Amino acid sequence: MRFLLDDEQREFARSLDSMLTAADTPAAVRAWAAGDTALGRALWARLAEAGVLALAVPERHDGLGPLPLELVVAFTELGRHAVPGPLVETVAAAALLDRVDDPTAAARLPQIASGKAVVSLCVPAVGGPYALDADAADAVFVVEGDTLRLAETAGPVQPSADPARRLARPLGGIVLARGPEVAAAAAHAAEVAALATAAQSLGVGRALLDRTVEYVKQRTQFGVAIGSFQAVKHRLADTLLALEFARPLLHSAALALAEGAAHASAEIAAAKVTAGEAAYAAARTALQLHGAVGYTEELDLALWIRKARPLRDAWGTPAACRARVLAA
C-alpha cells in the first residue's frame, strides 16, 4: 500500500510552511519559555484562521473535522517550525469534549475551532499528572478514571527539558461529567494526542536533519566540507531513513483512526514510538555534527534539539507504545 498525500493536502502543508517561515517562530518560542505568550497567541490566531484547530472539531460545532490525516499534515509542519503552546492538548480536548454529554463542554468546541480558546488537557493515567501550559490556557480539563472536571487553578510551573513546554499540576475545579462515556472519550482523546505528538516529532526530526545537512556543507575540516566525509554521510542517511520510515506509519495510523478501525490504537502506538525515536536520533545526530556550537542556547538549533526527547515521551513513552503494539 502507498500512503501519499493528495494535491490539496500537499498544498495545505506548503501554505502552513510558508506562513510559519515568515512568522519568526524562534522568537515566539523564546518568549513563551520566558512566560510571555503574546507572540505565541498571535501565531495561534493565524493557525486558527488557516483551519488547523478546526480539523479536530466536528462540523456541527463549527469545525472542519474530525480529519486525522489533515491533522497529521498540520502538526508535522507545527513541529517542523517548533510552534509553542498546548496545540496537541487543545485538539485532544476537542476530541474528548465532542464525546461527552455536557453543555459546558460542547460550548468550548466552537471556541477551539475559531482559536478563541487555548485549552490544555490532563489525563494522568496516560500523560502523567501535569498539564502542558496550564498557566497560559483559558481552560484546563482533567480526566481521572471516569470523571471529567474543569480545573480551577494550576500549581507552580515544573521544569522541563524543553523550556517552552511549561508543565503544571491542575488543581481543584468542578466536575462536568462522570461515567463510562468519560473514560471512553478520554481514551479516544489520548489517541488523538499521541497521533498529533508523533506528527510533531516527525516535523522536529525533519527540521533537525535539514539544518544539519546545511551545516555540514559549510563547516570545513582539513580544507574540505565535513559533509563529504563518508561517516557523516552514513549518519545523515540513517537519520533520513528513520524519519522516512515513520511517515507512512503516521499516515496509516491517521487513516485507521478516521475509519474507526479496531487496530487504530496499535497503529498509533507504532507511529508514535517510531517517529519519537527517529526525532530523538535526529537530535543526537544534529548535536554531534554541529560540534560544540550545537550546545549553545543562542543557536536556534537548540530550540528543536530540546523538543525531541520530551515529545518522544509525551502521550505515551516508547515502552508504553511498544507494549500496546505487542498486546495487539
Side-chain angles (χ1 to χ4, degrees):
M1 296 180 68
R2 303 178 71 194
F3 298 102
L4 299 177
L5 302 177
D6 61 28
D7 291 341
E8 187 175 349
Q9 290 161 340
R10 286 194 290 269
E11 180 56 35
F12 180 45
R14 283 192 292 268
S15 67
L16 288 177
D17 178 40
S18 178
M19 182 187 77
L20 293 171
T21 298
D24 189 16
T25 55
V29 175
R30 289 192 167 94
W32 193 279
D36 180 2
T37 62
L39 288 175
R41 284 273 192 165
L43 190 54
W44 191 285
R46 295 186 65 186
L47 291 170
E49 289 177 6
V52 171
L53 300 170
L55 294 173
V57 178
E59 292 183 12
R60 65 180 180 277
H61 293 295
D62 300 334
L64 301 172
L67 296 171
L69 186 53
E70 283 72 13
L71 206 63
V72 163
V73 171
F75 273 80
T76 300
E77 293 303 318
L78 297 182
R80 196 172 157 208
H81 290 274
V83 178
L87 288 153
V88 166
E89 287 67 25
T90 294
V91 297
L96 168 73
L97 300 178
D98 178 49
R99 297 187 172 211
V100 174
D101 185 17
D102 178 77
T104 302
R108 293 282 182 178
L109 291 168
Q111 296 175 350
I112 289 174
S114 65
K116 294 179 180 177
V118 174
V119 177
S120 193
L121 175 66
C122 177
V123 184
V126 180
Y130 300 107
L132 181 64
D133 297 312
D135 58 324
D138 299 311
V140 180
F141 294 94
V142 183
V143 179
E144 293 176 309
D146 64 353
T147 301
L148 169 65
R149 62 183 171 89
L150 176 61
E152 183 178 11
T153 60
V157 173
Q158 303 294 315
S160 169
D162 175 8
R165 290 182 63 83
R166 300 164 56 81
L167 304 172
R169 189 187 293 269
L171 305 171
I174 59 171
V175 173
L176 299 179
R178 281 195 178 97
E181 69 164 10
V182 171
H188 173 68
E191 290 182 350
V192 171
L195 182 67
T197 302
Q200 271 191 321
S201 292
L202 178 62
V204 166
R206 285 308 309 238
L208 287 165
L209 177 61
D210 291 345
R211 287 167 179 264
T212 305
V213 168
E214 289 302 313
Y215 181 75
V216 299
K217 291 178 181 178
Q218 300 168 12
R219 181 186 171 193
T220 60
Q221 281 186 356
F222 312 112
V224 297
I226 65 171
S228 65
F229 299 160
Q230 191 173 38
V232 172
K233 290 180 179 179
H234 286 175
R235 185 70 182 267
L236 292 171
D238 288 343
T239 302
L240 175 61
L241 284 172
L243 291 167
E244 286 303 305
F245 186 73
R247 189 187 302 276
L249 291 180
L250 264 172
H251 293 172
S252 177
L255 291 172
L257 183 63
E259 296 166 359
H263 54 81
S265 179
E267 290 214 29
I268 291 170
K272 174 71 169 59
V273 68
T274 305
E277 294 283 33
Y280 184 52
R284 295 175 64 183
T285 296
L287 190 60
Q288 181 180 18
L289 296 185
H290 274 80
V293 71
Y295 286 91
T296 61
E297 287 292 333
E298 292 76 15
L299 189 69
D300 285 348
L301 181 78
L303 303 179
W304 279 265
I305 286 178
R306 298 187 72 165
K307 286 186 180 300
R309 185 164 185 170
L311 287 176
R312 184 192 69 168
D313 295 337
W315 294 103
T317 64
C321 288
R322 288 189 178 98
R324 283 169 57 191
V325 174
L326 289 172

